[in-house]
Amino acid sequence: MYSKRSIRKIGFSIFLFVIIAAGCSSVKETTSSWRNNEIKIDGDISDWQNTLESIPDKKFAVGFKNDNIFLYICLITDDRMKIMQIFRNGFITWLTPNGDDDEKLGIKFPISNKEIGVAQSQGMNREMIPPENIEKIIKQLLNEQKEFKIINKDNFPLNLLSLENTEGIKLALSYKANNFVYELQIPLASSNYPTKINSLPGDKVIVCFETEKAEFENAIGRMPESG
C-alpha cells in the first residue's frame, strides 16, 4: 500500500573542482579547495574548519577538497528529521563526471535499516524524539553500519564493501554535539584504484545527495520537503 516513494535530492557539481550545489532544480556553484592539510575520514570536522559552506534552506553544510588522487566530501546537519531519514532509508552520494550519465557512480552509505536488517523502533517514525533518547538511538544506528554499496546509475548494486577495504574509498559517520557528520574519500581518475571517479582536477563533476521518503510519512500531516 505504501510502496511508492518520493525522492529527495540535493546536489553539487565540481570543476577543479567546481562544485555546483543543486536542489536538483536550483544550482549553486562553488570551488573545491585544494587539500593543504591531512583529511582523516573519521567523522571529526576539525579537518574542515572554515571550509564548510552552509546551505540554509536545506539545513546542512557541506565541504569539498581534493588533491591529485582523491576527492574529499564532508556534510553536516543538526536536523533530526533528516538524520532519522538518512538512517531509515539510506543515503546515496551520486558522482557524475562532466555530467555524463554513463559515468555516474553512487556510494550508498548509510545503507537503509531494511537492507541491514535493523528493526525500526516506533520512535524513529515520530517527528518529536525525546532529547534524552536521540543520542542513544543514533549511536545504536551508527554501530550497525559496517558496509557500503557501490551502485550504478540505475541503482543496481555493483559491489558491497566493508568500511575496511583496499579500494581507496573511505567513509565515516559520527554524531557529536547534536551534529550528524558524513565524510567520504573517493579516488579520482589519476589514481590506480579500480573504483574511481572518471575525472581529473580541472574537470566538472556533479555531486548529488539523495534520500528516499516513504509516502506514508506525509500522510500524518507533515509537509513534504523539496530536497
Side-chain angles (χ1 to χ4, degrees), residues 109 145-148 161-165 169-172:
F109 182 76
Q145 297 292 334
K146 307 294 184 184
E147 299 172 316
F148 64 94
L161 295 173
S162 167
L163 293 182
E164 298 292 332
N165 65 79
I169 301 174
K170 294 183 180 181
L171 288 144

Side-chain angles (χ1 to χ4, degrees), residues 5 8 81 85 88-89 124-125 212-222:
R5 309 179 74 86
R8 295 186 187 174
M81 292 305 297
Q85 180 192 349
R88 278 198 307 269
N89 301 317
M124 286 185 62
N125 292 320
E212 294 181 329
K213 181 179 179 182
E215 283 190 350
F216 72 85
E217 291 186 12
N218 287 332
I220 60 175
R222 299 180 199 155

Side-chain angles (χ1 to χ4, degrees), residues 202-213:
D203 293 341
K204 174 182 176 180
V205 178
I206 296 172
V207 180
C208 189
F209 302 115
E210 177 182 298
T211 60
E212 294 181 329
K213 181 179 179 182

Side-chain angles (χ1 to χ4, degrees), residues 59-61 76-83 175 177-180:
K59 300 180 182 178
F60 70 85
I76 181 171
T77 181
D78 61 1
D79 186 289
R80 291 183 186 178
M81 292 305 297
K82 289 187 184 298
I83 296 168
Y175 185 75
N178 299 320
N179 284 313
F180 169 82

